[in-house]
Amino acid sequence: MKKSPLLNAEISHTIAKLGHTDQLVIADAGLPIPPSSQRIDLALTAGVPTFLQVLKVVTHEMQVERAILAGEIIEKNPQLHEALLAQLKQLEQHQGNTITLDYISHDAFKVQTEQSRAVIRSGECSPYANIILCAGVTF
């Protein structure tokens, strides 16, 4: 049995297949998922699991070098934005690298998700609770 906190076999397999700069999306319950991306649906009900819960477990297993957010999160969901920044800061300390953070419009974000290997759908029901994680390398 695995020792890491990530028990979901589909997510673990997806992370294991990622190469440098490949993208993985963690989404709220409402983000449209492109037909070209693998859909990993974790949503059980509104708020379960939360966006931040999914992000914490996924990033425990995934090396991240860059993250992309919709700029609208700053104004429309400031509490989640602050919590997300704090979580990314902790991730940087754990990984020992700096994570580049980019903001784009929500419309551009939806287009960018078409380049992702997979979209993990959480049960989050707050606005702009989405992130694109770009895989880094551990060496």
Side-chain angles (χ1 to χ4, degrees):
M1 181 153 192
K2 286 178 56 109
K3 290 173 69 174
S4 74
L6 179 57
L7 297 177
N8 184 289
E10 206 173 353
I11 296 172
S12 187
H13 181 73
T14 299
I15 292 171
K17 292 188 305 181
L18 293 175
H20 187 218
T21 73
D22 281 347
Q23 297 179 4
L24 177 67
V25 177
I26 299 175
D28 61 27
L31 187 74
I33 299 174
S36 59
S37 295
Q38 176 187 3
R39 177 190 187 107
I40 303 173
D41 198 338
L42 302 180
L44 297 174
T45 190
V48 180
T50 69
F51 169 78
L52 291 174
Q53 287 172 328
V54 175
L55 178 65
K56 184 174 184 175
V57 174
V58 167
T59 56
H60 186 71
E61 191 149 325
M62 179 184 173
Q63 182 76 18
V64 178
E65 73 174 22
R66 180 176 170 230
I68 304 168
L69 300 170
E72 290 89 341
I73 192 173
I74 297 167
E75 183 179 318
K76 302 291 186 185
N77 200 344
Q79 289 178 320
L80 181 67
H81 181 246
E82 288 302 315
L84 172 59
L85 292 179
Q87 197 162 321
L88 289 176
K89 184 58 73 181
Q90 288 178 342
L91 179 60
E92 286 179 329
Q93 293 171 351
H94 173 73
Q95 291 185 163
N97 69 305
T98 300
I99 298 170
T100 303
L101 187 56
D102 295 320
Y103 293 90
I104 59 178
S105 73
H106 187 60
D107 287 337
F109 186 95
K110 290 188 280 188
V111 171
Q112 185 65 36
T113 63
E114 295 173 8
Q115 305 304 313
S116 68
R117 298 290 179 175
V119 177
I120 302 169
R121 181 175 174 252
S122 72
E124 186 73 41
C125 291
S126 65
Y128 306 102
N130 306 293
I131 191 168
I132 297 172
L133 302 172
C134 304
V137 294
T138 58
F139 53 88

